[in-house]
Structures are given as structure tokens and as C-alpha cells.
Amino acid sequence: MPQSAPAINPFETAKRQIDIVADLLSINDGTREVLKHPKRELTVNFPVRMDDGSYRVYTGYRVQYNIARGPSKGGIRYHPQVSLDEVRALAAWMTWKCAVVNLPYGGAKGGIICDPKHMSQGELERLTRRFATELVPIIGPEMDIPAPDVYTDSQTMAWIMDTYSQEKGYSVPGVVTGKPIAIGGSEGRGEATGRGCAYVIREAAPHAGLKLKGANIAVQGFGNAGSVAANILHDEFGANIIAVSDSKGGITNSAGLNLKAVEDHKHKTGSVVGFPGSKAISNEELLEIKTDVLIPAALENQLTAKNAGKVQAKIVAEAANGPTVPEADKVFFEKKITVLPDILANAGGVTVSYFEWAQNIQGYSWTLAEVNERLNRVMTESYARVHEVAEQRKVHNRTAAYVVAIQRVVDALKIRGFFP
Ligand code: NAD
């Protein structure tokens, strides 16, 4: 019987990436070992009462990968495939993402092995509150600040904030971000990832020989990140959105799509497919369409050795996490396609999470204009630094982003000194 290829362990991938950058930066073996180990890990098995009166035991994890630059930050996901190594890898990537945009944070991630699609709201609330109780000793505004991730949302964060606050005896809004505005969430958090991505594209365009006004844009995954980026690129920078897609397929119109009408159509029918006046294309075709900017904003592993050679864009901006496999990166570098890597291009979300936390601990809230102005500054400065390192070292932007991030973490480790 043919054997399926063993699944790639994401933490092994994360450690390989550290080695590549550590070689470039001539980081010594001891520091390299520190970078390749999570600082603190919690594994917890806990019972949850189900709606039918039975009890089930769930397993949850929280990994605080590195706290050299500040409290750790990262989402919590609910998914049947959650594993400790996946959480470790995601926590390492959060460390680099926070560092590349220079937030005063380390990185963390959490998860529960569960199937949220087959759980009631009541079961999800009991699962969340029981997990939050287990997290109380290791989370907090000065220690580790969770946020939403796959299949968790602002309601999940509200339950965690409430459970933590009950334990403390007073309200602690800064213990989580991605909260509803009513309990200390930030203006602009919902659209921050797409907005940050649009700002990074704006900064990269001149270096890629592209004028954004009138440029053509294709977006794979017209969800939160993708649709916000598309709307801002059109409304604020005058770009032309020529193709979008979702899980059911894609649509194109070389004259430009009316995004508000596409959103209405998606709202009514559940998909962008069938939008009047557009031509149907597959998700694979969308990636290879003639466009100036391609924004993968859906899933990982979309741009591979198979299709990278057919990509016609000048810029690939990764709103999604991990859409490009390393073989495709090589092709893009050779073809002089500018890649804006995920840890930079989608860091707008964690940046406004940081703003939310900063507002909470100040007890003061900012206007939407203030949030967007500060986000603009963070994304502009971060792109400039990554671009500068890419030019200096003659490496692609992904390596440059890792160099910037890992160097910042190493600087923090060194200046603090290794105890004792
Ligand atoms: P979302 O669920 O709002 O949107 C995802 C979109 O992708 C949906 O339109 C869905 O229909 C589409 N999709 C699903 N399968 C597809 C397929 N096979 N082909 C094409 N499209 C498909 O999710 P989101 O929050 O916009 O997240 C999208 C990506 O951005 C993810 O990789 C996520 O990790 C990343 N990201 C999001 C945030 C954030 O704040 N929302 C922050 C950082 C990274």
C-alpha cells in the first residue's frame, strides 16, 4: 500500500528558519539554542460539562516562546488538529512578527484540541472559561496577552477577560485583545490586518517600479483581511481590483470590480461567484492572472514550485499566514517579484492589538483616526527597515524580515544578559 508522506512538523520548519538567519547573523551556538527553545509551556487537561450532562476532557496548550522584548502576545485557536509542536511554531512566528514591527512584546500562542463547529455556544463558553481558569497564573497584562485566532473571536476574548477578572476581583481589560469595543476593544481592530497590508503595498510599490494609482490588484480570499485590503487599495490609493475569490471560486473583470456590489452579492448568495458582469475563474487561475499586485489572503501553501513560475504579478503581498512555500520564494526572487512576507504584511492586526492593550493600561481610548495614523507609521517604518536590510544583504524580503526580527530579539537577550 502506498504510504502518505509524513506531515511536515511546523516546529522543525520554524527551527530551520532560525538556523538560516542565525548563520547569516553569525549568532553563536548558545544564543541559537535559546532562540530554538520555547521559554515556557503549559499543557492542561480539563473537564467540560456537555449539554447532555456528560463530561469530556479537553487538552489545551499555551506556549510563551520568548519574552526578551516584553510580555508575550499571541492568539488562541480551537481546532481538532491543534498540537503542541504547532503551537510552539506559531508562538515562535509571533515572536518574530512582533519584533519585525518593533512592538514591545515577545511571542506566544495557545490552542485547544476540539471541534468548535460541533459545539454549542454554552459548551464553548464552559470550555473557554475552564481553560481561562487554568491560564490565570500565567497570563495577564504584564505577562502574556492572548487574542483571537482560528475559530475564536471577540466573544471568546470577552469570556476570558471576564473569567480572569473574576479571579482577580476587579476588571482587567488588558489581559486579552480583540475584545468587543464595549469592554475595551479598540477602534480599527477589525480592519487592521487588511489596512496594514495596504500600507505596506503602498510603501513597496515605488521600489517595485509600480504606480499604485490605476494598478491592477487580484485578491485570493475575499474575507476579513482580503476584502479590507482591497477596499482600501481602491478607495484610498486609486487601485483597480480586477479579481477576487473565496472558497467557492473566483471572479474577474479587467475593467475593475465594484467592490461594494460584490460584497452585497456575497452577502446575499454566500459567495462572490456569479457576480453579474464578471467572468468566473478558479482559485488556481486567479493566482496566475496578469496583475500588478497579487494578495493571497486565504490559506497557507497556495504558491508552490508548480505555479510560482506562472505568477505574473510585480508584488505578492501575503495577507495570509504562510501562503508561499520556500521553493516558490526562490522562483519569485529569481523573477524579481517583490514578496511582502506575512510576518510584515499581516502584522497590522497584532499592531492594533498592541494599541488596544496600550489604551487599556492607560485607561484612555483613542479615536479611529489616531489608531490608523499610528498604524500607518508602524507599517511604513517596518517596511523601510526590511527593505533596507534586503538591499544591504542582497536577500529577499522574507529573509530580511527574519534578520530584522531575530536581530532585535538577540539584542534584547544580550543587553539583559543571561541569568545568573
Ligand atoms: P476569513 O475567514 O475572514 O477569510 C478567509 C477567506 O478565504 C474567505 O473569504 C474564504 O471563503 C476564503 N477561502 C477559504 N478557502 C479558500 C480557498 N481554498 N481558496 C480561496 N479562498 C478561500 O479569514 P481572515 O481573518 O481574513 O484570514 C485570512 C488569512 O489572513 C489567514 O491566513 C489568517 O491567518 C491571516 N491573518 C488574518 C488576520 C486577521 O486579523 N484577520 C491577522 C493575521 C493573519
Side-chain angles (χ1 to χ4, degrees), residues 189 193 220-225 246-247 266 283 297-299 319-321 346:
R189 175 63 186 89
T193 302
Q220 187 201 40
F222 199 59
N224 177 337
D246 57 34
S247 57
K266 187 176 165 80
N283 265 298
L299 307 170
N321 280 315
N346 69 33

Side-chain angles (χ1 to χ4, degrees), residues 38-347:
K39 155 114 189 141
R40 183 183 288 133
E41 303 181 337
L42 172 80
T43 298
V44 58
N45 303 301
F46 56 94
V48 176
R49 184 168 41 80
M50 310 309 284
D51 287 346
D52 65 5
S54 66
Y55 283 83
R56 279 197 54 184
V57 173
Y58 287 89
T59 301
Y61 306 106
R62 184 74 181 167
V63 174
Q64 297 168 351
Y65 197 82
N66 187 293
I67 58 167
R69 290 171 46 82
S72 47
K73 183 90 193 84
I76 294 180
R77 67 173 51 177
Y78 291 175
H79 198 273
Q81 257 98 50
V82 163
S83 72
L84 184 53
D85 269 346
E86 180 194 55
V87 176
R88 285 171 172 150
L90 293 165
W93 290 326
M94 278 308 296
T95 308
W96 318 138
K97 190 179 292 193
C98 291
V100 82
V101 286
N102 218 358
L103 306 180
Y105 279 149
K109 203 83 181 189
I112 300 177
I113 305 169
C114 64
D115 190 357
K117 283 187 178 172
H118 294 108
M119 294 174 74
S120 69
Q121 274 296 95
E123 288 169 343
L124 285 170
E125 177 171 357
R126 292 192 292 277
L127 175 94
T128 302
R129 287 184 179 278
R130 184 59 207 250
F131 184 51
T133 309
E134 305 290 347
L135 292 178
V136 166
I138 62 158
I139 62 172
E142 290 167 341
M143 201 170 182
D144 181 15
I145 307 119
D149 192 66
V150 175
Y151 292 125
T152 56
D153 57 16
S154 58
Q155 177 62 72
T156 322
M157 295 306 111
W159 289 328
I160 296 177
M161 180 273 201
D162 185 67
T163 307
Y164 185 86
S165 299
Q166 303 263 348
E167 295 272 341
K168 294 287 161 187
Y170 51 90
S171 290
V172 189
V175 65
V176 286
T177 61
K179 297 180 292 295
I181 299 232
I183 54 167
S186 178
E187 294 288 349
R189 175 63 186 89
E191 63 164 31
T193 302
R195 179 169 284 281
C197 184
Y199 288 156
V200 175
I201 294 169
R202 178 200 62 202
E203 292 305 300
H207 296 138
L210 186 67
K211 247 184 98 194
L212 211 42
K213 195 169 167 46
N216 289 336
I217 316 267
V219 183
Q220 187 201 40
F222 199 59
N224 177 337
S227 69
V228 170
N231 273 293
I232 291 168
L233 287 163
H234 175 269
D235 297 350
E236 299 183 21
F237 307 140
N240 204 19
I241 313 304
I242 57 156
V244 300
S245 70
D246 57 34
S247 57
K248 308 225 170 72
I251 54 171
T252 180
N253 181 340
S254 56
L257 294 160
N258 176 339
L259 293 182
K260 301 286 172 285
V262 173
E263 273 162 20
D264 281 350
H265 178 80
K266 187 176 165 80
H267 195 67
K268 277 193 214 122
T269 67
S271 171
V272 298
V273 175
F275 178 65
S278 70
K279 184 174 153 245
I281 50 169
S282 68
N283 265 298
E284 292 71 32
E285 286 167 332
L286 182 139
L287 298 172
E288 297 167 13
I289 205 166
K290 184 155 177 39
T291 183
D292 296 306
V293 181
L294 174 64
I295 307 179
L299 307 170
E300 57 281 0
N301 302 336
Q302 295 300 293
L303 296 161
T304 62
K306 239 172 98 187
N307 61 7
K310 298 184 200 148
V311 169
Q312 303 189 58
K314 294 190 180 74
I315 295 178
V316 174
E318 296 180 342
N321 280 315
T324 309
V325 309
E327 293 77 19
D329 252 340
K330 248 177 79 186
V331 176
F332 293 153
F333 192 56
E334 280 156 15
K335 285 179 66 180
K336 298 202 176 358
I337 293 175
T338 301
V339 175
L340 300 171
D342 48 8
I343 61 167
L344 172 67
N346 69 33

